[in-house]
């Protein structure tokens, strides 16, 4: 009889413990699902470099036109952007050579702004350049294409209901080719990507730990 008593109490405690951990696990999972955020998707939509347009036949005008798209794909979270820093580079030896001979040719800043959920915005600017070896670049496009790179750095805070998250760094970039009419060689948008895999960027590790923890708790 005494044995029954002990094992009854044991089972009760175990059940209670199990439902407690189950609730905790489901709560963490739910929290993770609703707090999960995606960094904005940034892409170069359009580029025009008049100095590399063979019909113009002149490198007198040295500005570059850039059309950038910023896309908030989050279903229900707004994004506060800090000032967005953009830097352009030119590959002296073309895009697919080893990255020796990459020189900075322009930088500019887009002022910070707020973007609602599932909104896209474009930023179109003419940017002054410095130090482009224009003669070499004109030769490069005449031979096919010249290689460029754009890097973007900013920090964003997500608006979840009534509060703002802490800042998440967004550091992305992409190479692109320009052809002999001074346009980006591919018509499709060129997505800027981070060096680290997306999954590990933007504050995901903390949430990943939370999920792994909830799964362990569930088991
Ligand atoms: C290249 O320059 C010519 C002459 O100015 C102009 O008509 C043409 O539209 C330019 N090409 C592009 C792609 O803008
Ligand atoms: C381009 O301009 C140079 C002088 O600036 C001229 O000698 C040459 O003929 C021009 N080429 C074309 C295709 O118009
Ligand atoms: C950014 O560009 C300006 C000229 O527009 C230049 O004076 C400045 O040095 C550049 N900044 C960097 C970090 O290269
Ligand atoms: C953007 O540039 C400004 C001025 O150079 C600098 O203070 C800021 O830290 C930069 N932001 C990022 C995210 O790199």
């Amino acid at each position: 009889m005494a044995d029954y008593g002990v094992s009854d109490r044991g089972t009760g405690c175990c059940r209670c413990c199990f439902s407690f951990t189950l609730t905790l696990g489901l709560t963490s999972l739910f929290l993770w699902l609703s707090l999960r955020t995606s960094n904005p998707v940034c892409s170069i939509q359009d580029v025009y470099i008049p100095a590399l347009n063979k019909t113009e036949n002149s490198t007198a005008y040295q500005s570059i036109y850039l059309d950038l798209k910023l896309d908030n794909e989050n279903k229900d979270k707004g994004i506060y952007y800090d000032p967005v820093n953009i830097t352009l580079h030119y590959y002296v030896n073309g895009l697919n050579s080893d990255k020796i001979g990459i020189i900075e040719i322009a930088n500019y800043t887009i002022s910070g702004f707020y973007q609602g959920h599932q909104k896209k915005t474009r930023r179109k600017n003419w940017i002054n350049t410095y130090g482009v070896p224009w003669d070499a670049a004109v030769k490069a496009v005449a031979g096919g294409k010249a290689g460029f790179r754009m890097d973007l750095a900013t920090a964003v805070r997500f608006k979840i209901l009534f509060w703002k998250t802490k800042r998440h760094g967004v550091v992305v970039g992409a190479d692109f080719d320009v052809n002999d009419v001074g346009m980006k060689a591919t018509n499709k948008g060129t997505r800027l990507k981070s060096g680290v895999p997306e999954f590990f960027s933007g504050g995901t590790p903390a949430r990943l730990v939370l999920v792994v923890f909830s799964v362990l708790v569930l088991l």
Side-chain angles (χ1 to χ4, degrees):
M1 288 308 268
D3 276 359
Y4 272 108
V6 168
S7 85
D8 258 0
R9 231 174 282 132
T11 318
C13 179
C14 200
R15 257 190 215 131
C16 167
C17 185
F18 178 72
S19 54
F20 174 72
T21 51
L22 187 69
T23 311
L24 194 68
L26 286 175
T27 308
S28 334
L29 191 63
F30 173 77
L31 269 177
W32 177 73
L33 287 173
S34 54
L35 296 182
R36 197 172 41 151
T37 54
S38 318
N39 279 346
V41 174
C42 313
S43 54
I44 309 167
Q45 293 301 303
D46 198 9
V47 175
Y48 180 47
I49 309 180
L52 298 184
N53 177 353
K54 63 176 183 230
T55 320
E56 294 278 359
N57 191 25
S58 162
T59 57
Y61 189 69
Q62 306 193 334
S63 292
I64 295 183
Y65 172 80
L66 282 173
D67 176 358
L68 190 66
K69 187 169 87 173
L70 300 161
D71 189 354
N72 176 6
E73 290 184 341
N74 289 286
K75 282 204 177 60
D76 46 15
K77 292 163 192 83
I79 295 182
Y80 292 94
Y81 291 79
D82 276 0
V84 181
N85 294 345
I86 313 267
T87 318
L88 283 181
H89 285 89
Y90 172 70
Y91 284 106
V92 175
N93 298 311
L95 201 137
N96 295 318
S97 62
D98 44 12
K99 305 210 165 167
I100 302 164
I102 177 164
I103 49 179
E104 186 179 316
I105 58 160
N107 72 79
Y108 69 109
T109 300
I110 296 167
S111 43
F113 64 101
Y114 175 74
Q115 183 175 47
H117 60 92
Q118 288 188 314
K119 292 280 193 293
K120 297 179 200 324
T121 186
R122 302 283 272 264
R123 289 292 184 272
K124 303 172 183 184
N125 293 89
W126 281 98
I127 302 126
N128 294 326
T129 61
Y130 39 87
V132 183
W134 286 112
D135 290 345
V138 167
K139 275 202 193 104
V141 293
K145 56 202 175 183
F148 291 84
R149 175 172 184 81
M150 178 193 270
D151 287 289
L152 179 156
T154 187
V156 296
R157 283 166 297 163
F158 297 95
K159 180 173 177 263
I160 304 178
L161 295 176
F162 304 110
W163 56 279
K164 289 182 196 173
T165 64
K166 66 177 172 57
R167 285 184 162 78
H168 296 249
V170 177
V171 180
V172 290
D175 293 335
F176 60 93
D177 280 324
V178 170
N179 60 23
D180 65 357
V181 289
M183 307 273 293
K184 192 157 75 70
T186 50
N187 283 330
K188 263 182 11 163
T190 301
R191 182 168 173 170
L192 307 182
K193 293 186 174 150
S194 76
V196 261
E198 194 87 332
F199 193 61
F200 293 105
S201 66
T204 309
R207 269 172 250 120
L208 191 65
V209 166
L210 191 68
V211 168
V212 169
F213 175 70
S214 5
V215 168
L216 285 179
V217 161
L218 278 170
L219 292 176

